[in-house]
């Protein structure tokens, strides 16, 4: 019987039981096993590229959701985020809201969104050419440890008006209570890059044992990528629904 390994059949191994995979590998001829390893190599590299692309998209969507929370447009700059945070810190600080646990959790959730946006802007600066990098002045970094006293004057109070924060927007990396979520599998960066995947897939095609070991390695990598990609897709759908609900 001729066994043909294409994208569908190879990727199906990511959902198969180990006992079934072992039986399949043991039943293959050397030629068939080489075909399986070759096709699996390409599928792992392709899947890895798709995973990292989806992960980058998810980070962008998370930043957009955090901007929505602060009532800011998608093209808001870091200064606008800092200003929005200052205003929220004034009105949401626990000391000004009874010091309750609920007030503390709400403040921490807001702070987590702000810190995520600061990380986003820092990454963008790192990706810019060196001569274009502009580090923010230390004195411009807002303080969140203590409430900022209200200023006098109608105009100043108007300028300090709290942004239209949206509690309904899910917090990337934070659960509904405001506590930091456990790191998901996809956040551990265990999925190899396409280059790492390709480099890790070298084996002795003339050696049966080496081929079998590589076939198992392919399956484990595909299982890992599939598991992490499933998590990403769930988060992507949640973020996408939240963003569409704002339009």
């Amino acid at each position: 019987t001729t066994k043909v390994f294409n994208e569908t059949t190879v990727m199906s191994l990511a959902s198969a039981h180990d006992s079934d995979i072992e039986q399949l590998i043991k039943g293959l001829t050397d030629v068939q096993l080489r075909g399986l390893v070759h096709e699996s190599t390409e599928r792992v590299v392709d899947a890895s590229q798709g995973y990292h692309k989806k992960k980058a998209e998810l980070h962008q969507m998370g930043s957009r959701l955090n901007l929505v929370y602060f009532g800011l447009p998608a093209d808001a700059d870091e200064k606008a985020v800092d200003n929005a945070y200052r205003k929220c810190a004034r009105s949401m600080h626990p000391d000004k809201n009874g010091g309750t646990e609920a007030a503390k959790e709400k403040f921490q959730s807001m702070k987590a969104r702000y810190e995520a946006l600061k990380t986003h802007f820092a990454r963008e600066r790192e990706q810019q050419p060196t001569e274009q990098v502009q580090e923010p002045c230390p004195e411009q970094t807002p303080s969140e440890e203590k409430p900022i006293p209200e200023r006098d004057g109608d105009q100043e109070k108007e300028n300090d008006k709290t942004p239209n924060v949206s509690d309904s927007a899910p917090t990337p990396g934070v659960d509904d209570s405001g506590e930091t979520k456990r790191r998901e599998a996809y956040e551990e960066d265990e999925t190899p890059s396409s280059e790492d995947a390709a480099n890790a897939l070298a084996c002795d095609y003339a050696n049966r044992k080496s081929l079998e070991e590589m076939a198992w390695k392919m399956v484990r990598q595909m299982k890992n990528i599939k598991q992490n990609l499933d998590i990403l897709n769930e988060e992507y759908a949640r973020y996408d629904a939240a963003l569409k609900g704002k339009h």
Side-chain angles (χ1 to χ4, degrees):
T1 303
T2 301
K3 295 184 182 295
V4 179
F5 299 103
N6 54 29
E7 180 176 359
T8 302
T9 55
V10 170
M11 291 305 295
S12 68
L13 295 177
S15 303
H17 293 292
D18 285 357
S19 58
D20 294 332
I21 297 171
E22 181 177 11
Q23 183 177 2
L24 170 67
I25 292 176
K26 292 296 183 182
L28 296 177
T29 66
D30 289 356
V31 173
Q32 292 170 341
L33 190 54
R34 282 194 288 270
L36 173 61
V37 170
H38 173 76
E39 185 65 27
S40 298
T41 299
E42 295 187 355
R43 298 287 73 79
V44 167
V45 172
D46 289 346
S48 178
Q49 291 174 340
Y51 163 83
H52 286 286
K53 180 180 179 181
K54 179 68 72 172
K55 185 176 181 180
E57 292 175 357
L58 189 67
H59 279 304
Q60 289 294 328
M61 293 178 73
S63 295
R64 287 174 59 193
L65 279 172
N66 286 330
L67 290 172
V68 167
Y69 173 86
F70 285 107
L72 297 172
D75 59 351
D77 59 16
E78 190 168 6
K79 182 178 180 180
V81 171
D82 287 342
N83 290 337
Y85 172 76
R86 288 189 181 96
K87 295 171 184 177
C88 286
R90 290 189 182 98
S91 64
M92 297 174 64
H93 198 282
D95 290 350
K96 298 180 66 176
N97 291 276
T100 64
E101 287 301 316
K104 293 177 182 178
E105 290 175 356
K106 189 173 183 179
F107 182 85
Q108 288 301 321
S109 177
M110 182 274 295
K111 181 181 175 183
R113 292 177 185 271
Y114 169 71
E115 291 175 345
L117 284 171
K118 295 294 285 186
T119 299
H120 169 74
F121 285 116
R123 286 174 178 168
E124 286 192 335
R125 287 196 299 273
E126 290 174 358
Q127 295 172 359
Q128 293 176 354
T130 305
E131 62 273 14
Q132 295 182 11
V133 175
Q134 296 181 353
E135 295 293 340
C137 297
E139 62 270 20
Q140 293 179 341
T141 302
S143 172
E144 68 281 346
E145 298 302 325
K146 297 180 180 179
I148 302 174
E150 295 289 348
R151 295 176 294 182
D152 295 329
D154 294 339
Q155 183 61 42
E156 289 180 332
K157 289 182 179 180
E158 177 63 24
N159 291 338
D160 283 342
K161 185 178 180 181
T162 303
N164 181 26
V165 296
S166 173
D167 290 327
S168 61
T171 310
V174 176
D175 62 22
D176 293 336
S177 69
E179 295 295 328
T180 301
K181 294 193 301 184
R182 65 177 179 82
R183 288 175 62 84
E184 299 290 2
Y186 72 85
E187 295 179 302
E188 299 293 347
D189 287 328
E190 294 178 350
T191 301
S193 66
S194 56
E195 182 178 356
D196 291 338
N199 291 337
L201 304 184
C203 75
D204 183 358
Y205 277 72
N207 184 283
R208 173 79 188 194
K209 182 179 179 181
S210 179
L211 284 170
E212 289 187 1
E213 290 176 349
M214 185 54 59
W216 272 109
K217 189 173 185 178
M218 296 301 91
V219 171
R220 293 189 184 98
Q221 289 205 16
M222 285 190 291
K223 284 179 177 290
N224 180 56
I225 293 173
K226 182 180 183 301
Q227 177 187 13
N228 293 344
L229 192 56
D230 286 346
I231 296 173
L232 281 182
N233 285 331
E234 290 179 3
E235 289 291 277
Y236 187 95
R238 188 168 70 97
Y239 289 7
D240 187 54
L243 286 171
K244 288 180 178 178
K246 302 302 173 184
H247 298 293

